[in-house]
Amino acid sequence: MEHTSIAIVGGGLSGTLTAIHLLKAARKATTVYLLEKEARKLHRGVAYSSSLPFQPLNVPASRMTLFPEMPDHFVDWLREHQTDYAGQLPSPVTPDAFIQRCIFGDYVEDCLASAEANAYEGVKLVRVNQEVISLERRTSGPSFVVSLNTGSWLSVQKVVLALGNLPPVEIPIPNKAFYKSSLYKASAWSPEILNELPLQAPLLLLGSSLTMVDLLGSLVKKGHQGKIYVVSRHGLLPQAHQVDTVPYPVAPVRLQNPLSPLKAMRLLRKEISIAAQKGYSWHSVVDALRDSLSGIWQNFSLQEKKQFLRHVKPYWEIHRHRMPLSSSHMLRQLQEKGQLEVKAASLVDLHANGEMAQAEIRKRQSTDTQTLEVAMVINCTGPLCDYTKSQHPLIQQLLEQGLIQADELKMGITATKEGNVLNAAGLPVENLFAIGPPLKGMLYESTALREIRQQAASLASLLLFGETMLAAAL
């Protein structure tokens, strides 16, 4: 009997969703290997494996189903498991509730277990808690040899790179030695941050994204009372979700035509103005545009994409990636009482001064500098997107072998619209695919559940049947 073998490199949301769809769709002998180095991140990745006390999802429960054809699936699951999370879930669970990330991780894991239990005979999932360090093409037989850090290896026909978001990198400063100091934390997701800090300690958080908001909430929940500085180049905070947003009935179709970033933003503002006259908020207009974003991005020229990243992205991102209203209230309260100070500035340098760190910053659009003295500096910047700077052994090996190449904007790797990876010569690598964040340079929107669940379903169809779900439907 013909047998299909597929290795999924990365066991976070992208990899797990791909495995779920493979297990649900396969109708003949198939082995799916789900490879994840860290057992605690299996089925969860970084975002849903954190043990910090304040980690709400950034969108309401009604938008977090793994299966778009079953929009109430996550909410129904929460209600079914209400008693399992006493004190952690609202009672009753409502579709507009913002649920803890770790609970969503349980949901993802449970969906995988269900898909595994109900898979056809001969279809199986093998979890491998080891790190993939290299990928070699075979000239005959199964397409790839997947080498692991223990010295063992797998021989498979197809490989999916579900690498998720790469860890953030240090901001370039003259005194790079500071980053080896105990005064610096490279990850905002580390529970050691809360355990090591005195409650009165002043802190510097680098970056003002949703990662910073989550860490700030955990500090508040822990009872932290020290001064907290947030430094980012623009000093912009994520906007808040609006309660009971009425969906905008018609997507702004005009924005789907080839436009420059400037014209696109002008049309968007005009659309928001028209919507406001009809009683709709800007939130609903931005959400209605969601499915058109990749097309708009792909219609930009390379120069226009660079213009967007340089001038528009910071403002677009805070409206596109919003925080819960309760988080917005928390930040406002901290600012009003003087505990939180957000600065639009760039980091100049960092130095250790005994048990304290001295951070020199330069205010935005100014030559003036300021020195902040804090007990700890925590990196809350976004993930690394430039694969050429990654220290991951697999990524380095794939780049050296020419099996992958970084895209022109250094936002991910090159691939076809179906996710088939392109090599250094720009040609598709047979049976090698990518999903999620690695495709951001091509799709722009490729990091959130809404896009990843669509990619996973289509990729599973392509891996098993040689066609995407969209192609099959036509």
Side-chain angles (χ1 to χ4, degrees):
M1 179 184 294
E2 184 181 354
H3 180 269
T4 301
S5 55
I6 303 169
I8 302 174
V9 183
L13 178 63
S14 300
T16 301
L17 258 174
T18 303
I20 288 172
H21 282 287
L22 288 170
L23 294 171
K24 290 168 70 72
R27 296 294 184 267
K28 64 180 183 179
T30 303
T31 300
V32 179
Y33 296 96
L34 189 58
L35 300 113
E36 173 58 53
K37 176 185 177 183
E38 299 183 54
R40 71 180 182 87
K41 293 182 181 178
L42 191 59
H43 319 316
R44 298 168 182 273
V46 175
Y48 310 118
S49 62
S50 172
S51 60
L52 294 179
F54 180 90
Q55 294 281 278
L57 296 168
N58 294 312
V59 294
S62 60
R63 302 185 193 178
M64 292 300 291
T65 176
L66 294 189
F67 312 105
E69 70 278 12
M70 295 185 284
D72 299 326
H73 192 264
F74 181 45
V75 174
D76 290 342
W77 184 90
L78 289 169
R79 289 168 176 166
E80 181 183 346
H81 292 81
Q82 178 95 49
T83 57
D84 298 337
Y85 300 99
Q88 295 179 272
L89 290 176
S91 184
V93 173
T94 57
D96 60 353
F98 288 84
I99 307 302
Q100 287 290 99
R101 289 171 181 261
C102 60
I103 297 177
F104 179 75
D106 291 345
Y107 164 68
V108 175
E109 185 172 0
D110 192 51
C111 289
L112 179 63
S114 176
E116 184 179 12
N118 292 290
Y120 268 55
E121 184 177 357
V123 178
K124 64 179 181 177
L125 174 69
V126 179
R127 297 167 178 81
V128 182
N129 288 133
Q130 296 179 45
E131 182 179 16
V132 178
I133 58 173
S134 71
L135 194 62
E136 301 287 347
R137 293 209 57 165
R138 281 186 182 272
T139 55
S140 61
S143 297
F144 296 97
V145 174
V146 181
S147 297
L148 308 175
N149 61 325
T150 57
S152 57
W153 51 272
L154 301 171
S155 183
V156 298
Q157 295 166 324
K158 305 176 183 183
V159 174
V160 177
L161 300 177
L163 304 175
N165 286 315
L166 302 181
V169 295
E170 288 87 11
I171 297 174
I173 55 174
N175 183 30
K176 296 178 182 178
F178 178 86
Y179 290 128
K180 300 182 186 297
S181 164
S182 61
L183 299 173
Y184 173 75
K185 294 296 180 184
S187 172
W189 304 90
S190 172
E192 289 80 14
I193 292 173
L194 302 183
N195 298 332
E196 295 176 6
L197 275 174
L199 295 181
Q200 301 295 335
L203 303 174
L204 171 59
L205 310 186
L206 300 174
S208 58
S209 67
L210 291 170
T211 298
M212 178 279 297
V213 176
D214 287 346
L215 176 58
L216 197 59
S218 294
L219 290 166
V220 169
K221 196 148 184 112
K222 185 76 172 180
H224 194 81
Q225 300 168 14
K227 180 83 173 187
I228 301 173
Y229 299 99
V230 172
V231 169
S232 69
R233 285 189 303 163
H234 295 84
L236 299 172
L237 294 173
Q239 295 292 299
H241 282 282
Q242 186 180 56
V243 178
D244 299 326
T245 300
V246 179
Y248 195 54
V250 181
V253 178
R254 290 173 295 171
L255 288 172
Q256 298 178 32
N257 298 320
L259 297 166
S260 69
L262 179 59
K263 288 182 178 179
M265 289 302 104
R266 284 175 176 170
L267 280 177
L268 178 58
R269 284 196 292 267
K270 183 177 180 180
E271 195 76 35
I272 289 172
S273 177
I274 294 171
Q277 294 172 14
K278 298 178 181 179
Y280 297 96
S281 73
W282 65 262
H283 307 73
S284 60
V285 179
V286 169
D287 292 342
L289 184 61
R290 181 78 171 268
D291 290 335
S292 304
L293 291 176
S294 288
I296 295 170
W297 172 257
Q298 289 169 353
N299 282 330
F300 288 158
S301 67
L302 178 61
Q303 186 59 35
E304 287 172 337
K305 288 177 180 177
K306 291 179 179 179
Q307 291 172 353
F308 176 89
L309 295 174
R310 186 165 56 250
H311 300 297
V312 180
K313 178 186 174 184
Y315 303 95
W316 168 254
E317 291 290 299
I318 64 171
H319 291 84
R320 162 66 186 83
H321 298 285
R322 306 191 288 269
M323 62 179 155
L325 189 58
S326 58
S327 297
S328 178
H329 290 160
M330 174 191 68
L331 264 65
R332 188 180 304 114
Q333 291 172 356
L334 291 173
Q335 287 177 302
E336 288 174 352
K337 71 177 184 178
Q339 185 179 356
L340 173 65
E341 190 172 339
V342 181
K343 294 180 175 291
S346 57
L347 181 66
V348 177
D349 210 352
L350 291 165
H351 293 277
N353 183 17
E355 296 182 354
M356 300 293 284
Q358 290 185 329
E360 183 181 359
I361 62 173
R362 180 180 295 112
K363 297 178 182 178
R364 180 172 173 79
Q365 297 180 337
S366 172
T367 58
D368 297 340
T369 61
Q370 179 183 2
T371 299
L372 307 175
E373 189 166 77
V374 295
M376 186 175 290
V377 178
I378 305 168
N379 191 342
C380 299
T381 59
L384 171 67
C385 295
D386 184 352
Y387 273 56
T388 65
K389 295 181 179 179
S390 173
Q391 299 302 307
H392 194 294
L394 173 63
I395 293 175
Q396 291 180 335
Q397 181 262 334
L398 291 175
L399 286 169
E400 290 170 1
Q401 296 294 319
L403 283 175
I404 65 171
Q405 66 170 342
D407 64 70
E408 293 177 297
L409 296 168
K410 300 295 189 293
M411 294 175 64
I413 60 176
T414 58
T416 67
K417 61 182 180 180
E418 294 82 16
N420 192 178
V421 172
L422 302 179
N423 62 19
L427 301 174
V429 180
E430 186 177 6
N431 291 328
L432 181 61
F433 300 87
I435 183 174
L439 303 179
K440 188 172 182 179
M442 180 182 67
L443 302 174
Y444 192 77
E445 285 289 336
S446 191
T447 60
L449 172 62
R450 180 167 170 172
E451 286 71 35
I452 290 173
R453 67 190 180 191
Q454 294 171 342
Q455 291 177 26
S458 291
L459 180 55
S461 179
L462 183 61
L463 290 165
L464 294 172
F465 311 118
E467 60 183 2
T468 64
M469 290 183 66
L470 177 61
L474 295 176

